Amino acid sequence: MVLTIIILLVFFIAFVFAKIADKKREKIQFDILPNEKILQVENDVTFFGRNKELRKPGLLYLTNKRLVFFRYKFGFLQLIPVIGNTLTAVFLDKQIFWEFPVNQIITYHFKPTVIKTNNGTRVGSFGETKLITINKENVGFDIPLKYTDYSKADLLVALDRLLLMKD
């Protein structure tokens, strides 16, 4: 009985933090150009930078003009089971950590990875994505996949449409 109450309490707290995180994400304001609009937002993206120099988890916004990345201030909170991801989303740094114009992206490479336990239970999945730019730079992201094993994230599908329109 006590265990059931504790589990319900933890899930209630996780739900409350998830609602707070959604409200906080909606309030993010960054300088959007007059002809720019947000196409897609992806949570829990890991940004590696050039040649995997650093590792920062956060949010990745795709607009019709650029990619914009906001990092979580306290990424180590993701280690807490059940409510860790929602806690990190609450503590979001509102300053732009990295941004890049979409018109300078030539293409990207996408490699899906599914993490499973020994008995075949799926633990997690992400798509290792490397952007290839005009200047031959490689910028890497780990973008969470959809619930099916190898389908691209919606952000990458939207980026495909932008790159096709650019040609």
Side-chain angles (χ1 to χ4, degrees):
M1 178 72 174
V2 173
L3 185 61
T4 305
I5 292 172
I6 291 172
I7 290 172
L8 288 174
L9 186 63
V10 166
F11 280 113
F12 176 74
I13 291 170
F15 178 76
V16 168
F17 278 127
K19 287 294 183 186
I20 292 170
D22 284 342
K23 295 285 185 198
K24 186 160 181 140
R25 186 178 75 183
E26 288 171 5
K27 290 181 182 178
I28 288 182
Q29 299 285 330
F30 58 97
D31 296 330
I32 294 179
L33 304 173
N35 59 351
E36 187 177 25
K37 63 180 179 178
I38 295 173
L39 300 179
Q40 193 66 42
V41 181
E42 200 65 53
N43 292 314
D44 298 328
V45 173
T46 304
F47 170 68
F48 288 106
R50 293 171 188 86
N51 302 322
K52 296 193 176 189
E53 294 169 358
L54 53 101
R55 183 182 167 105
K56 300 282 182 189
L59 292 176
L60 183 64
Y61 281 77
L62 174 66
T63 72
N64 55 341
K65 301 284 183 193
R66 59 191 165 149
L67 282 167
V68 182
F69 181 76
F70 293 91
R71 70 181 177 93
Y72 296 137
K73 287 183 183 177
F74 307 112
F76 63 87
L77 291 174
Q78 289 180 336
L79 298 175
I80 300 171
V82 182
I83 62 172
N85 285 342
T86 56
L87 278 175
T88 57
V90 169
F91 298 110
L92 182 67
D93 190 357
K94 292 183 183 176
Q95 304 298 318
I96 293 176
F97 185 75
W98 178 86
E99 66 179 310
F100 198 78
V102 172
N103 64 1
Q104 292 189 12
I105 299 173
I106 296 172
T107 187
Y108 68 89
H109 296 293
F110 172 74
K111 178 183 165 194
T113 302
V114 177
I115 303 165
K116 294 185 178 182
T117 60
N118 290 340
N119 63 0
T121 306
R122 183 176 162 170
V123 177
S125 60
F126 61 91
E128 185 180 325
T129 306
K130 287 189 179 183
L131 303 175
I132 311 299
T133 67
I134 291 174
N135 301 332
K136 304 296 183 215
E137 294 180 55
N138 289 332
V139 180
F141 291 98
D142 280 347
I143 300 176
L145 297 178
K146 294 181 182 179
Y147 292 107
T148 56
D149 281 343
Y150 295 106
S151 62
K152 289 183 185 179
D154 292 336
L155 185 135
L156 294 177
V157 174
L159 182 61
D160 283 340
R161 278 189 248 123
L162 284 177
L163 293 177
L164 282 176
M165 289 188 325
K166 187 178 80 167
D167 292 337

